[in-house]
Amino acid sequence: MCLIALAWRVHPDYPLVVAANRDEFLDRPAAPAHWWPDAPGLLAGRDLEAGGTWMGLTRGGRFAALTNYRDPSQRPASGAPSRGLLVRDTLLSTASTLDTLTHVAADSARYAGFNLLFSDGKRLGIHESARNTVRLLEPGIHGLSNHLLGTPWPKVRTARERLAAALPTLPDPAALLTLLRDPTPAADAHLPETGVSLEWERHLSPIFIRAPGYGTRCSSLILVGADGQTLFHEWTWEAHAENRDLPRSAVTHCFHAGQPPARHRPDSSHAAFSARQAAQAVRVSAVMLQASPVLPCLLFLPGKRQKLPKDFPFCAVNGINGVRIAQSIGNTVRPGRTIEILSCSGGPKWHKLSTPTSSPSTPSVI
C-alpha cells in the first residue's frame, strides 16, 4: 500500500476500519483480493511477480498492511526478498501482535525500507524499519504513507480528516471511496522532500495517483465488526491511460472472523459474481446494490433501515432471490426511499440496479 487511513477502536460497531490505496508500476501484474488456494484462510490481493501481497486478512481475524518507506538513497541489497512476503508470513503466523512484529523487526534489515501494520484481532501495532521500532497503537485515527506513521504529508492529513468525517456514514462505502479517488495534488509549498525530483513529488502527492507508468492500482475498504462480521471491498483500476478512471473490477468479500466457511450452492443468476468468486463467498451478511461498475455499491445489512441517496438513479431491483426488502414499491426502489433488508439467505448477494425502460414487472423479491 502507499496510503492507509485507519480507525482503530473508534467506531462503536466497527473496531477496525481501513481505507487504503495501493500505488505501483502499471506493468507489474497483480491479482485482486481473493482467498488464496495455497494458504487457506488468507484473503488478499497478490503480486504476481514476487508472490506476496500488500494487505490482507485471515478468517481468524488477523490483519496486516505494508507501505514502502521512500528513500531513494537507500538502495536494497541485490537479491533482497520481496516485502510483500512479510505481509503473507505475518498473516499466517499464530503469535500475538507484539511477538509477531518483534520477530519481523529482528530480520527487517534484509529488506528495503517498509512500515508494517499488524493486528491479531486484539491489539494493533506497527514496525517501522527506518528506525527499527515496534510499538502498539492506542485507539484513534491513524494515517500512514511512505514515511513514518503520522508524518503530516498533505494527503495523510486529508485522509485522516475525511476518514473521521465518514465514520458516521458506515457501512455505506461511498464517502470513503470518494476519499480514495481524490486526485488533488498538494501545493508546491506543502510538498515533502523525500529525495525524488520536484516533478515526482507533485506526481506522488495526491491520494489517487496518475503518473507516467505509475499510479493507484487498487482502492480497498475493510470493515471489521464488533461481532466479527467482516467486509472487504476492493476496486481495481484500469492501467491504460485512457481508462485509468474506470474500475477494471470490483469485488466484495463478506465473512465472519473465527467461523469456518459455510457450504452453499451459488446462484448462477448473480451475474456480478464470477463462479469462482461465488464459491469463495463465506457467509451472506449483506446485500450489495450497484447502479453501474463505476459507481460505488450500496451496502444494506439485514435488519437495518437505510435510505437510498437522493442522487442515486431511479432503478429496479432485478432477480433477488432469498432477500426480503421492506419499504419498496413492488420491485422498484426510488431515490430517497428507506429500504430495509429483512433477511438474506443462500449464495452471494451482489445485485445490479438498472434504469427500467418500462413499467416495473411483477415484484421478484420475496
Side-chain angles (χ1 to χ4, degrees):
M1 309 306 295
C2 286
L3 178 67
I4 302 171
L6 179 150
W8 173 244
R9 301 198 181 281
V10 175
H11 194 286
D13 299 325
Y14 301 100
L16 178 63
V17 178
V18 181
N21 274 346
R22 175 185 181 243
D23 306 326
E24 184 54 89
F25 291 105
L26 303 184
D27 59 358
R28 184 159 181 152
H34 63 284
W35 293 102
W36 288 22
D38 56 336
L42 192 157
L43 173 62
R46 195 160 200 169
D47 173 16
L48 298 180
E49 186 172 290
T53 186
W54 48 94
M55 182 171 72
L57 296 161
T58 70
R59 294 195 195 279
R62 297 167 80 83
F63 160 79
L66 182 144
T67 66
N68 297 342
Y69 185 89
R70 192 189 308 157
D71 185 354
S73 67
Q74 299 294 321
R75 297 291 180 182
S78 177
S82 169
R83 290 165 287 194
L85 299 176
L86 288 168
V87 180
R88 179 201 66 184
D89 295 344
T90 297
L91 289 168
L92 294 177
S93 70
T94 58
S96 68
T97 296
L98 193 57
D99 288 347
T100 298
L101 291 175
T102 300
H103 177 76
V104 171
D107 197 39
S108 66
R110 295 198 300 129
Y111 299 83
F114 67 92
N115 305 298
L116 179 63
L117 284 161
F118 172 65
S119 172
D120 60 5
K122 299 176 183 177
R123 295 192 289 180
L124 174 69
I126 187 170
H127 167 55
E128 297 164 309
S129 71
R131 53 188 186 186
N132 198 28
T133 58
V134 170
R135 56 193 171 111
L136 296 176
L137 301 183
E138 296 295 325
I141 296 177
H142 304 280
L144 177 65
S145 188
N146 302 117
H147 205 260
L148 301 175
L149 182 72
T151 298
W153 289 358
K155 66 179 177 182
V156 175
R157 291 199 310 268
T158 298
R160 290 179 61 189
E161 292 168 0
R162 291 175 63 179
L163 172 58
L167 289 179
T169 71
L170 295 177
D172 185 347
L176 290 178
L177 179 58
T178 300
L179 156 65
L180 294 173
R181 295 279 292 143
D182 187 352
T184 307
D188 282 1
H190 299 142
L191 291 174
E193 296 181 6
T194 63
V196 299
S197 68
L198 175 60
E199 179 185 12
W200 272 97
E201 293 288 11
R202 290 168 176 160
H203 281 317
L204 300 174
S205 67
I207 290 173
F208 189 87
I209 295 174
R210 292 177 288 194
Y214 185 87
T216 300
R217 297 285 300 277
C218 71
S219 300
S220 305
L221 171 61
I222 293 174
L223 304 177
V224 179
D227 60 355
Q229 287 290 80
T230 302
L231 298 172
F232 190 152
H233 304 281
E234 184 183 86
W235 296 265
T236 300
W237 307 105
E238 283 286 359
H240 301 295
E242 65 273 17
N243 295 320
R244 284 169 67 183
D245 284 334
L246 299 177
R248 186 175 67 204
S249 67
V251 298
T252 295
H253 296 271
C254 309
F255 68 99
H256 195 289
Q259 290 189 2
R263 296 183 179 275
H264 65 273
R265 295 175 59 86
D267 184 337
S268 61
S269 67
H270 298 147
F273 265 85
S274 70
R276 182 177 178 183
Q277 290 166 340
Q280 291 167 345
V282 180
R283 181 172 180 263
V284 175
S285 60
V287 176
M288 302 294 171
L289 304 179
Q290 190 173 39
S292 79
V294 180
L295 295 176
C297 61
L298 297 175
L299 172 65
F300 294 93
L301 299 178
K304 184 169 183 178
R305 299 171 68 86
Q306 293 167 256
K307 184 171 288 189
L308 284 173
K310 291 184 178 179
D311 58 352
F312 202 73
F314 181 111
C315 46
V317 182
N318 299 318
I320 297 183
N321 298 313
V323 179
R324 296 178 60 203
I325 297 183
Q327 298 283 326
S328 64
I329 305 175
N331 68 339
T332 300
V333 180
R334 296 183 184 276
R337 180 169 293 278
T338 298
I339 76 170
E340 179 183 0
I341 304 301
L342 299 180
S343 65
C344 49
S345 60
K349 296 293 185 254
W350 256 100
H351 297 294
K352 298 190 75 70
L353 299 177
S354 59
T355 302
T357 56
S358 58
S359 300
S361 59
T362 303
S364 59
V365 297
I366 60 173

